């Protein structure tokens, strides 16, 4: 029962932060840029100002699907961000280019996260199945075998938790780079800057909630293992 309460609380906080993020982006999507630049134009200018010539800015389907692809070296902007000319689009476009700048400068946290991607992509798919498999084995077959399987699942889940915490400095640094550039280059007015800053602040909080939720779940499974050991 305690596990379901924990998951319920995490899901509730995640939903509240996600809704707040959507409302903030909706609000700042109405703050139109005085310079008239689109998200795509802002992204390309930021790349040029940082002397990055091997990264392409492209449009990708969906909403809030914006991301930087380090292997393909593309800044992928959702259709609304790519085309729109407002504070929210400016914030997102500059943030994603912030990741490209990190890549170009070999930012250590981004490199560490990139190295974990292959491991985490596999571990995240199977960790919970392995954990529950271990619990079943402990109750029905063998406590010793079940404990070993449970520990394996916990280690796999822990890789995902580690990844979520390494993601935090990566995201915050990208936002700081974006905001510094927007301000230093006078891309946005004072009002537009405040909107961009607020939007990125709430976007970062979604990663914080995800990391805390992952840690809480990991500690819960670890407590089960230690309690049975």
């Amino acid at each position: 029962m305690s596990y379901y309460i924990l998951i319920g609380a995490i899901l509730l906080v995640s939903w509240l932060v996600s809704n707040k993020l959507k409302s903030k982006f909706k609000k700042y999507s109405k703050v139109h840029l005085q310079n008239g630049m689109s998200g795509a134009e802002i992204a390309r200018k930021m790349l040029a100002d940082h002397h990055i010539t091997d990264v392409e800015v492209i449009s990708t389907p969906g909403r809030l699907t914006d991301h930087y692809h380090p292997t393909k070296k593309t800044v992928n902007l959702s259709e609304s961000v790519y085309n729109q000319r407002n504070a929210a689009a400016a914030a997102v476009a500059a943030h994603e280019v912030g990741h490209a700048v990190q890549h170009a400068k070999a930012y250590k946290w981004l490199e560490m996260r990139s190295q974990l991607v292959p491991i985490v992509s596999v571990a995240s798919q199977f960790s919970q199945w392995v954990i529950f498999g271990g619990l079943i084995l402990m109750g029905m077959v063998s406590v010793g075998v079940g404990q070993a399987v449970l520990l394996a699942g916990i280690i796999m889940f822990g890789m995902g938790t580690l990844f979520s915490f390494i993601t935090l400095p990566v995201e915050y640094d990208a936002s700081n780079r974006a905001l510094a550039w927007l301000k230093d280059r006078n891309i946005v007015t004072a009002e537009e800057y405040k909107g961009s800053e607020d939007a990125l602040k709430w976007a970062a909080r979604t990663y914080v909630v995800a990391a805390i939720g992952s840690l809480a779940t990991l500690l819960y499974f670890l407590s089960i293992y230690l309690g049975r050991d």
Side-chain angles (χ1 to χ4, degrees):
M1 181 60 69
S2 58
Y3 172 71
Y4 292 113
I5 293 174
L6 172 66
I7 294 300
I10 292 170
L11 290 175
L12 176 61
V13 173
S14 179
W15 178 79
L16 290 172
V17 172
S18 178
N19 273 11
K20 188 70 173 181
L21 173 62
K22 290 177 182 177
S23 69
K24 289 291 184 180
F25 271 87
K26 183 177 181 180
K27 174 183 178 181
Y28 298 124
S29 291
K30 298 177 182 178
V31 179
H32 299 290
L33 298 181
Q34 290 188 13
N35 62 21
M37 296 176 69
S38 67
E41 291 168 341
I42 287 173
R44 292 189 181 104
K45 178 168 176 52
M46 185 172 173
L47 286 169
D49 285 352
H50 285 86
H51 310 292
I52 299 174
T53 59
D54 58 347
V55 173
E56 184 182 4
V57 179
I58 62 175
S59 177
T60 186
R63 186 184 179 195
L64 298 179
T65 53
D66 312 270
H67 64 282
Y68 170 66
H69 198 302
T71 304
K72 297 181 179 178
K73 286 197 171 184
T74 56
V75 171
N76 302 270
L77 302 179
S78 59
E79 294 170 345
S80 58
V81 171
Y82 188 92
N83 295 305
Q84 289 186 8
R85 307 166 189 274
N86 53 57
V92 174
H95 173 88
E96 297 308 333
V97 174
H99 288 308
V101 175
Q102 290 174 336
H103 192 187
K105 294 182 178 295
Y107 179 59
K108 65 177 181 179
W109 289 103
L110 180 65
E111 290 190 327
M112 193 182 304
R113 188 177 73 167
S114 298
Q115 290 171 359
L116 282 174
V117 168
I119 301 172
V120 173
S121 61
V122 175
S124 61
Q125 292 182 47
F126 300 105
S127 60
Q128 298 231 16
W129 291 106
V130 175
I131 287 172
F132 287 120
L135 293 173
I136 292 171
L137 288 172
M138 288 168 67
M140 298 180 62
V141 182
S142 168
V143 173
V145 173
Q147 283 181 335
V149 175
L150 175 60
L151 180 59
I154 290 172
I155 293 172
M156 293 169 70
F157 191 91
M159 295 301 296
T161 301
L162 175 63
F163 184 84
S164 66
F165 274 92
I166 290 176
T167 294
L168 295 181
V170 174
E171 295 300 326
Y172 273 97
D173 180 78
S175 290
N176 290 337
R177 292 176 190 270
L179 291 170
W181 177 79
L182 288 171
K183 187 175 184 179
D184 293 344
R185 297 288 179 167
N186 295 315
I187 303 298
V188 293
T189 65
E191 180 188 2
E192 294 162 359
Y193 178 84
K194 288 180 180 179
S196 297
E197 183 180 38
D198 196 29
L200 290 179
K201 177 181 70 177
W202 280 98
R205 286 175 178 173
T206 62
Y207 292 98
V208 174
V209 171
I212 293 174
S214 182
L215 177 61
T217 305
L218 175 64
L219 292 176
Y220 173 77
F221 287 134
L222 189 59
S223 71
I224 294 177
Y225 174 78
L226 295 175
R228 295 293 188 95
D229 194 349

